[in-house]
Amino acid sequence: TGFKDIQASDIKIFDVIHSQELKEIHHLWQESTRQLQPFEVELPIHLADGNYGWFLVACQPSLNAQGQIAEWIITYTNIQKYKQAEQEFEKQSEFINALLTNLSDGIVACDNNGNLTLFNRASIEFHGLEVKSIPPEQWSEYYDLYLPDGKTPMPKTEIPLFRALQGESVRDVEMKIVPKKGYPRTLLANGDSIINSKGEKLGAVVAMRDITAQEQALN
């Protein structure tokens, strides 16, 4: 039995399937045959009217009295709307990621438990560090956060992201990053809690603008 056995009067599987996808399908089919278990796969299906759409193809082996596969029961579920929504979400995610990557401001965010979830390219350049999932108590030391004097480590309760996580609307808070590698920067931070449509707090986000050049010009 092969995958081409999946046929219906108004539906047939694409004659040409990407080699990697075909390999996966054959693997699923072989494993299902060996274990006598059903399997599911999402496929673009060519319809009799010339159109095509995405379907969830469920394959259920039916056994005879000897415990061998007598036939396959195939069902098709139209998931075109789901796939379109998925593709649209992927496009939006790609756009947002590109936007965050190209911003000159540093953007950092955390979830409601204080786990860092976003650290864009500018933030990495400011700190000279990749994002690390650590508790708020360690943010100041690990990310080299200082008060405006550039010498006093910033207490957790003064860190803009932590303040935003507590529900405070943070506006133009001056701070310094004195990285272990690189040069000191003076930043202005603005941040807020992240609230969903139900009014539930999901976390917090902060934008950091580098004002080092402006500060040096004044001095």
Side-chain angles (χ1 to χ4, degrees):
T1 300
F3 196 75
K4 289 185 178 180
D5 291 333
I6 302 179
Q7 297 287 341
S9 60
D10 60 340
I11 294 177
K12 67 177 182 179
I13 292 176
F14 271 156
D15 293 330
V16 179
I17 299 176
H18 189 278
S19 59
Q20 186 61 37
E21 186 177 44
L22 184 60
K23 182 178 180 181
E24 179 183 358
I25 292 168
H26 283 163
H27 174 73
L28 289 172
W29 190 279
Q30 291 169 356
E31 285 298 301
S32 179
T33 301
R34 183 175 65 84
Q35 299 180 14
L36 304 179
Q37 295 293 323
F39 76 93
E40 295 180 344
V41 62
E42 295 180 0
L43 286 175
I45 300 297
H46 198 182
L47 306 177
D49 62 5
N51 295 316
Y52 77 92
W54 281 90
F55 284 76
L56 177 65
V57 181
C59 305
Q60 171 73 51
S62 178
L63 307 182
N64 59 23
Q66 288 73 41
Q68 300 173 327
I69 298 176
E71 61 181 357
W72 290 87
I73 301 172
I74 313 298
T75 59
Y76 301 85
T77 302
N78 191 326
I79 59 171
Q80 182 66 17
K81 290 184 178 180
Y82 161 76
K83 294 297 289 187
Q84 288 175 338
E86 183 181 70
Q87 291 167 359
E88 184 61 30
F89 176 77
E90 289 176 353
K91 288 181 181 178
Q92 291 179 358
S93 296
E94 183 179 358
F95 175 80
I96 291 172
N97 287 334
L99 176 65
L100 291 171
T101 297
N102 289 282
L103 281 175
S104 58
D105 287 357
I107 308 294
V108 295
C110 67
D111 63 21
N112 205 30
N113 295 317
N115 299 309
L116 294 171
T117 56
L118 174 62
F119 214 69
N120 73 342
R121 184 172 64 184
S123 297
I124 293 173
E125 291 175 356
F126 291 170
H127 295 279
L129 296 166
E130 296 286 344
V131 65
K132 183 178 181 180
S133 183
I134 56 178
E137 290 77 14
Q138 298 177 25
W139 288 352
S140 181
E141 180 181 1
Y142 181 76
Y143 290 108
D144 304 308
L145 308 179
Y146 290 82
L147 295 178
D149 63 10
K151 298 178 181 180
T152 307
M154 182 169 277
K156 180 185 71 172
T157 54
E158 294 295 320
I159 298 174
L161 185 60
F162 183 79
R163 290 168 60 180
L165 185 60
Q166 306 314 302
E168 183 180 347
S169 185
V170 178
R171 291 294 175 267
D172 293 331
V173 173
E174 185 175 330
M175 59 185 289
K176 282 188 181 291
I177 295 176
V178 186
K180 300 171 183 66
K181 295 181 179 179
Y183 61 89
R185 297 175 187 263
T186 302
L187 308 174
L188 280 185
N190 291 272
D192 287 287
S193 298
I194 301 172
I195 308 297
N196 67 13
S197 59
K198 298 179 181 179
E200 301 167 334
K201 186 170 68 174
L202 304 181
V205 61
V206 163
M208 301 176 295
R209 175 155 297 179
D210 187 352
I211 61 168
T212 306
Q214 295 92 312
E215 183 187 53
Q216 291 173 345
L218 292 175
N219 296 330

